[in-house]
Amino acid sequence: MNKSKLTKTLWKQRYLILMIFPFIVWLIIFRYIPLWGWIMAFQDYRPGKPIWQQEWVGIRWFAEMFQDPDFYRAMRNTLIMSFMGLVFGFPLPIMLALLLNEIKNIAFKRTIQTISYLPHFVSWVVVASLVSEILSPSGVINQILQKFHLTKYPIMFMAEPRYFWWIVTFSDIWKELGWNTIIYLAAITSINPELYEAATVDGAGRFRKMISITLPGIMPTVIVLLILSIGNIINIGFERQFLLRTAATREVADVIDLYILSYGIGTGRYSFGTAAGVFKSVLSLTLLVFANWFSKKTTGYRMM
């Protein structure tokens, strides 16, 4: 593209560029400039001194982190809960979007969508309180189990480590299921309606059209979101675990973000916390690149 053509294109799209400009500024300020702080991971940072006057310690904090058993426990919990969320939580929004697309009654469809979207806007503090109350010894789940004689005594769900990962996973699915269907429903609207008409002429039923037209039509979107999900498998956050954990489930509740908060920032070891954050970011980038490469090799779709 020559210079004059590029100038004409930029001028033609000037309003789009102006619209995206604030987001570029936000990205630079809050995503790229903070990367300067990564040098703290190689220093013995002490507040009150300029960052260029801090003592350099090389990879000391990384070595200490990799020798800490609590770090591997946090990594185990993070990976297991992320994997469970990916296995159980990723396909369900796709299935719900496919089913919603088949509903012909617009009023009923919008009602279901609204009901499924609402939990997304509920704070995790409220969700954790609801889950704790429902699963308490006097909660509705134990009442149902005892009423049907499935258990003689109330089950202490919130105090049993073996239940914790499942509670976190399905609490997150319930909260985000409807919201995650939005992008799939948007992708479905881009499918050419003539394909459905041709399939109807050929005698295809609704299920066959769903499998042969709708699902392949949104597959590029599914692949891109799957790649992003794999790249974010380590970025599980800590709100759910922090709010749902108890003293009895702490061993299975601590994730990498809680580890950084507790053993880094919480104890004033800012360099140690930064080192753990750097490791998490590098691992996420590695997973993202690998998932993108693997998707390109196996499906032909890629994100970048």
Side-chain angles (χ1 to χ4, degrees), residues 117-130 174-176:
Y117 295 164
L118 285 177
H120 171 78
F121 300 99
V122 179
S123 167
W124 265 112
V125 176
V126 177
V127 173
S129 299
L130 289 172
W174 172 80
K175 189 175 185 296
E176 303 296 339

Side-chain angles (χ1 to χ4, degrees), residues 157-208:
F157 287 104
M158 302 304 293
E160 287 284 349
R162 57 179 172 165
Y163 297 129
F164 184 80
W165 292 338
W166 296 101
I167 292 172
V168 170
T169 299
F170 286 103
S171 297
D172 184 56
I173 291 174
W174 172 80
K175 189 175 185 296
E176 303 296 339
L177 175 61
W179 185 257
N180 290 336
T181 62
I182 293 176
I183 192 165
Y184 297 115
L185 289 171
I188 289 173
T189 60
S190 66
I191 299 175
N192 190 349
E194 293 180 0
L195 295 175
Y196 294 102
E197 295 172 4
T200 302
V201 172
D202 290 340
R206 296 174 70 177
F207 182 76
R208 172 54 59 187

Side-chain angles (χ1 to χ4, degrees), residues 96-249:
L96 180 59
L98 292 173
L99 294 174
L100 285 172
N101 184 60
E102 295 301 316
I103 297 176
K104 303 307 178 184
N105 188 311
I106 301 300
F108 180 71
K109 179 179 179 180
R110 289 178 177 173
T111 301
I112 296 298
Q113 285 180 279
T114 302
I115 293 173
S116 64
Y117 295 164
L118 285 177
H120 171 78
F121 300 99
V122 179
S123 167
W124 265 112
V125 176
V126 177
V127 173
S129 299
L130 289 172
V131 171
S132 298
E133 184 63 29
I134 291 171
L135 297 177
S136 67
S138 59
V140 63
I141 298 299
N142 272 306
Q143 290 181 18
I144 293 173
L145 293 175
Q146 289 180 292
K147 183 177 182 179
F148 289 95
H149 305 290
L150 297 175
T151 180
K152 187 175 181 181
Y153 301 104
I155 300 174
M156 306 294 289
F157 287 104
M158 302 304 293
E160 287 284 349
R162 57 179 172 165
Y163 297 129
F164 184 80
W165 292 338
W166 296 101
I167 292 172
V168 170
T169 299
F170 286 103
S171 297
D172 184 56
I173 291 174
W174 172 80
K175 189 175 185 296
E176 303 296 339
L177 175 61
W179 185 257
N180 290 336
T181 62
I182 293 176
I183 192 165
Y184 297 115
L185 289 171
I188 289 173
T189 60
S190 66
I191 299 175
N192 190 349
E194 293 180 0
L195 295 175
Y196 294 102
E197 295 172 4
T200 302
V201 172
D202 290 340
R206 296 174 70 177
F207 182 76
R208 172 54 59 187
K209 287 187 282 188
M210 183 191 302
I211 299 300
S212 301
I213 299 175
T214 308
L215 192 56
I218 65 172
M219 191 54 63
T221 302
V222 172
I223 295 298
V224 168
L225 292 179
L226 180 60
I227 293 171
L228 291 174
S229 297
I230 294 174
N232 281 315
I233 202 169
I234 201 74
N235 297 317
I236 193 174
F238 68 89
E239 295 91 348
R240 293 161 283 173
Q241 294 80 9
F242 182 77
L243 293 168
L244 290 170
R245 72 178 180 178
T246 62
T249 59

